[in-house]
Amino acid sequence: MASILGIWVPHVIWENIFSYLTTTDLINFCKTSDEYDIFLRDRNIVKSFDISCNYDLCDTNLYTYIKNNVAYECIKSLNINKLHWVSLGDLRKLVKGLTNLEELYALNTALSMRARDIVLYGKLKTLAISIEGDHLLEPNTALFQNNLYLLRKLCLHVIRKHPKFSYGLSKLFTELFGLNVLWIYDSDSTDSLPISYDMIVEKLQSLNQLVIKSRVYIPLLDYRPFGLAKYFSSTRFKSIIMCYERIPKDKIVLLRDVSIFKPFESKLEQAWSSFRLSRCEMPFDPKVHREIYLTQQIKNVKFEELNFFHYRCFCTKEFIRASWDFLKSENSAGLKKLSIKSCILQREHFHKDRSLAHLPKKYPILDIIENCPRLNTLELMQCSRFDTEVEGDLICNVSIIDAYPFISNWRHLEKLTLEVPSHLQGDFLIDLTKYCTNLKLLRIISDHTNEYLNRNTYKALEYASNLQDFCFENLSANLPVLFDSLCKIRTQKLHRVFINCDYSHATSLNTLESFLVLNPQLILLFLAGKGLKRSYLNAALRLMHKYKKNCDYKKFFAKPDARDFMRNYRVCEVDDELFNSDSVVSSVDFYSFR
């Protein structure tokens, strides 16, 4: 037993408490007192050890820490996703020492599918790993046979491909005949080196689930002859995503034939019909897609993620009202993630002959907030058809502007991506950071010069006490004032900062240096600007390197074009999360692979 506040608590209660906490929470708790170290040596507590993206461990030798402080021989499931700073040697020693390990999640780490890595996987039933093409140039059939025969679940993130990569992949899957679940994310956008998914499906006769995500165009693959039904398909943003599952052949139908039959019994079913008629992607996530596919109905599903953002413009009255019906339905009461365009925020549409002053002062977003109070992730992008007239009706109107202040009513927000119109001053951001106290990620994007937005952003940052990731993109910014504002955050929790502007009103480096001094925990700092002088960027980079202090895990950059640079950077899939345009809502998160 161990005590808390002087009261002795039975061990079984401690185990029950820790079952609700993350491993990172457990580690932080054990740091508060030496008597709590026993919990890191409890086999029932540490058998599932998840330290993915734990930046607190950056200055710690992971292998030594686990060996000396944790009952490592009891760990059956280890999640080290995104720990890209841990050396390959330490990771190999760690995995080799975990004699009872059955599940390893090591996406975007130094581990891969080299011969010396594969010999460590002989006891694994589940593996998630990132791979580069040259790691399979000389595939060893015996190596696969002797060390991967237990695998039943495999997740591969293909970072870069080599001309001979397909040959190595073919040899690999020939030996994985017992594989039941396969996820493949091809983030290499090289069109000339496609992955042959047909070959994979043909070789893996025991496959029950297949998830494909690709930045290269691939046709809409049909695997019904193999008993695999496609229950989810998405071409939203940069990636193509397809999800398949094995079901009896007599139950397989075409995805487009999955529908609700009339008569409609609710507004939600009518909204479903409107979306189908507009031939846009349905807004819900793969989990709900699967449920609808198998049950052929939508009445009882519970939406946790909804995405109404499309590159094609669907902001007709029918589309917007259908979106409202989805968000106001009781099925969305537990909604956690939402991606929308700004047109969803406006008041009811009106005819061009009516004035804005005659609009009712009631915003649908207030009903949405009341119905979905637990939202923790919001992506709000600007609608491109603002004040556009279609068949005599205004599609989007200036009442959108008045609705932005209501965003702060979502008090549980943790991640917010906000594309701000140029005519919006941004004063609502101050209330947002004051009231949304759980905010950990904040992205503010504006395509135009907006000085009022800049000033209010600077004022708002002071209150963002839990902010860990910050992205700011505007045509212009006062960089010294921006860094001074970041210095005013009393808590030092910032891990990643990305700032992109074409030019700055001032180029003093004093506040940048103060920011680096106050935030030694910073992992990523990226300053980009096509219009910034090269001399300023070079001076900023020298200053960053001074405070990097030879820490390989710190990534500090000052470049004219961030996206151009990151496309060729080795760990871009870890570090570009702040500024890539792929939505995280109603998509497939490969870090959720289990």
Side-chain angles (χ1 to χ4, degrees), residues 500-513:
N500 189 14
C501 61
D502 275 8
Y503 60 92
S504 175
H505 302 298
T507 55
S508 168
L509 295 174
N510 292 337
T511 56
L512 171 59
E513 183 167 19

Side-chain angles (χ1 to χ4, degrees), residues 252-270:
I252 295 178
V253 296
L254 286 172
L255 191 60
R256 65 173 178 266
D257 293 335
V258 179
S259 60
I260 296 176
F261 301 99
K262 294 183 179 180
F264 300 129
E265 298 178 3
S266 67
K267 287 186 177 181
L268 178 61
E269 292 178 342
Q270 292 175 338

Side-chain angles (χ1 to χ4, degrees), residues 452-496:
Y452 289 109
L453 171 64
N454 289 356
R455 293 172 189 171
N456 284 305
T457 300
Y458 305 152
K459 293 177 183 178
L461 284 173
E462 177 182 352
Y463 305 103
S465 57
N466 282 306
L467 199 61
Q468 297 178 4
D469 299 320
F470 176 62
C471 168
F472 185 72
E473 297 189 68
N474 202 341
L475 248 108
S476 67
N478 190 320
L479 292 177
V481 175
L482 178 53
F483 281 114
D484 183 57
S485 301
L486 292 170
C487 289
K488 292 178 181 178
I489 303 176
R490 293 186 180 89
T491 54
Q492 284 77 48
K493 295 184 178 181
L494 279 169
H495 289 138
R496 300 183 296 180

Side-chain angles (χ1 to χ4, degrees), residues 571-584:
V571 294
C572 62
E573 295 307 321
V574 174
D575 290 334
D576 77 347
E577 293 171 314
L578 273 185
F579 55 94
N580 71 39
S581 58
D582 272 357
S583 174
V584 301

Side-chain angles (χ1 to χ4, degrees), residues 384-410:
S384 60
R385 293 178 71 176
F386 182 78
D387 280 344
T388 303
E389 196 172 302
V390 177
E391 297 180 357
D393 286 336
L394 284 173
I395 297 303
C396 293
N397 58 65
V398 292
S399 72
I400 291 172
I401 300 174
D402 301 331
Y404 274 78
F406 297 129
I407 297 172
S408 61
N409 290 350
W410 269 308

Side-chain angles (χ1 to χ4, degrees), residues 150-166:
L150 289 178
L151 272 187
R152 296 297 177 264
K153 296 180 180 181
L154 175 63
C155 175
L156 283 182
H157 171 201
V158 182
I159 297 176
R160 283 191 179 91
K161 299 190 291 286
H162 185 277
K164 296 182 180 180
F165 177 71
S166 294

